């Protein structure tokens, strides 16, 4: 991983994530995410033919740094698995660390919930910024017809808990309704973990 001499300026093409030279790039395909989607028959049917990329992101993490900011750009490709739109796995932060999401392109939703039972699903559009408090699990969903791309900024040295979401899911799902409408419905398989 490249380290930068501070301060610095970074120019990047948000659409060219795989070509970004100074970072870790992570690609999540459907086979990495089959446990996260409700419609298992649809997952199996798609995987039988291909293994589509659902999203990819690059990040530059300030690891073991007492201060500073980590940041990254995520691109979720348009599409759905059954009725559920393409989405990220989602996670909790396990050490104190709030996060900012700023939409660069496309449209989507940010689903959040806390262990105390607060559930929020916010719109993400170019020009909108969402603030994610430490205690909230967060997942993004591409509800549009184009790539949905956003910048994330978070403090150094936070750890990500994916396990809780893998086991219990999110309380709400963002799905395609009649005539391509975007619907938020209760997740029948959600469990408090
Ligand atoms: C983001 C996410 C990124 C991918 O940078 O890590 O959007 O989502 P998953 O990590 O849930 O696969 C972030 O929230 N960092 O803390
Ligand atoms: Zn996060």
């Amino acid at each position: 991983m490249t380290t930068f001499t501070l301060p610095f300026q970074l120019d990047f093409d948000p659409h060219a994530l795989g070509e970004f030279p100074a970072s870790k790039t992570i690609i999540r395909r459907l086979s990495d995410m089959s446990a996260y989607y409700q419609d298992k028959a649809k997952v199996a049917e798609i995987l039988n033919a291909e293994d589509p990329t659902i999203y990819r992101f690059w990040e530059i993490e300030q690891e073991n740094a007492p201060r500073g900011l980590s940041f990254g750009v995520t691109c979720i490709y348009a599409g759905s698995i059954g009725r559920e739109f393409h989405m990220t796995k989602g996670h909790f932060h396990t050490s104190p660390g709030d996060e900012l999401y700023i939409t660069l392109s496309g449209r989507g939703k940010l689903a959040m919930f806390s262990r105390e039972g607060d559930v929020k699903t916010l719109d993400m559009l170019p020009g909108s910024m969402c603030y994610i408090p430490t205690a909230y699990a967060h997942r993004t969903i591409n509800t549009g017809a184009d790539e949905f791309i956003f910048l994330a900024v978070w403090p150094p040295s936070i750890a990500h808990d994916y396990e809780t979401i893998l086991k219990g899911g999110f309380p709400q799902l963002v799905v395609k309704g009649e005539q391509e409408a975007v619907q938020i419905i209760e997740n029948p398989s959600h469990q408090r973990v």
Side-chain angles (χ1 to χ4, degrees), residues 90-93 97-99 101 132 136 138 152 154 158-160 162:
H91 57 263
F92 279 99
H93 293 172
D98 297 5
E99 185 161 16
Y101 278 1
I132 304 163
Y136 284 72
H138 42 287
W154 64 95
I158 60 162
H160 294 80
Y162 289 97

Side-chain angles (χ1 to χ4, degrees), residues 83-101:
R83 287 181 66 203
E84 271 183 287
F85 290 104
H86 284 182
M87 61 188 182
T88 59
K89 288 184 172 183
H91 57 263
F92 279 99
H93 293 172
T94 55
S95 46
D98 297 5
E99 185 161 16
L100 274 185
Y101 278 1

